[in-house]
Amino acid sequence: MSIDELNASFAISDHLTWVEGPGGLPIARANFGHAETEISLHGAHVLSFKIDGEPIIWLSKEAVFNGKKAIRGGVPVCWPWFADHPTDADKPAHGVARTSEWRALKTEQLDDGIALELGLTDSEQTREVWDHAFELRLSVELKADSLTVTLTSTNIDSIPLEFGCALHTYFAISGVHSAYISGLENVGYIDSIDNDQRKVLADAIHIDREVDRIYTQTESAVLIHDPDWDRTIRIDKTGSASTVVWNPWIDKAARMSDFGDDEYLGMVCVETTNAADDVRTVAAGESHTISQTISLA
Ligand code: BG6
């Protein structure tokens, strides 16, 4: 659909408009109260979330908007697997959803916010990578003080399917040396940069090196404390019993072409996931829903 057609069907007066974003990608720009967000149809990718103009979600200055590559930053939707494919190294990391073109399905003005729903079904392109029938719905609800991203995966194939997933959210922080993360103390994790060893730590997470961890068996809220910006970001979730924490640090940042060398200083990923032990098996005709709500505590 063209930008004009998207606006004709899905604009909400004063609250949601479609614009041509970087690289010509169609983007929905929504606001409610002092909150604003932008969502790209490419990947059903939330690009920004701000309250009072202050970014809560981070987007790389080096992000590539070519309608092919996944966008670096925001909320990539990793699906139907998280990270590398479990058995086939040739398949794309984090699956097919983040690089697919999604369709706008619905927008709605709520009493206390704005809602947008996007959809993706299997196509020739997705079947090349993952040969199954599926239906995905991604809804974004913007309220005056929160953003909720919800992904519902429906198995419309004839056999049970395994759905792994991440709402791979990049958060903006004042500085990686002063911000820290709580809510995952004493939760076991898989250390992806130490041979997937299982570990547990009693303390809050202070990032001082590359961190790439899948916390397992955790449904609790996670907090990103940022004393220098005098704020705490809160992430609540449902349908997810695993959380990934990632910061690439110096060497990995330097290896990523779409990530500035110093940008690891101003971001951290806290991802609401169905990863590792938490991958869900969904029977034919059934669905699984995963959701995160981001707010300031
Ligand atoms: C994280 C993974 O979720 O995503 C990391 O835990 C990975 O291992 C990171 O490097 C970024 O992945 P990508 O494919 O977007 O570069």
Side-chain angles (χ1 to χ4, degrees), residues 134-207:
F134 68 85
E135 195 173 82
L136 293 182
R137 292 272 184 278
L138 184 106
S139 83
V140 179
E141 259 187 42
L142 179 71
K143 299 199 170 169
D145 55 4
S146 68
L147 181 83
T148 299
V149 181
T150 304
L151 179 74
T152 297
S153 315
T154 304
N155 175 0
I156 55 170
D157 214 305
S158 52
I159 54 167
L161 296 177
E162 276 201 349
F163 294 149
C165 162
L167 302 173
H168 187 315
T169 312
Y170 290 73
F171 289 97
I173 50 175
S174 62
V176 76
H177 298 295
S178 55
Y180 62 97
I181 298 165
S182 71
L184 295 167
E185 298 86 341
N186 298 310
V187 177
Y189 67 88
I190 298 167
D191 193 342
S192 307
I193 53 170
D194 189 11
N195 294 316
D196 288 343
Q197 280 197 63
R198 299 221 173 216
K199 303 180 180 174
V200 61
L201 287 174
D203 301 330
I205 305 166
H206 293 262
I207 296 175

Side-chain angles (χ1 to χ4, degrees), residues 5 8 16 30-31 51 59 77-78 85 89 104 107 114 133 137 149 155 158 180 191 213 225 227 234 249 292:
E5 287 165 338
L16 189 148
N31 68 81
I51 294 183
L59 185 66
V77 176
C78 306
H85 186 275
T107 51
I114 294 296
R137 292 272 184 278
V149 181
N155 175 0
S158 52
Y180 62 97
D191 193 342
R213 301 176 183 167
H225 304 266
R234 180 181 171 107
W249 211 246
Q292 66 171 359

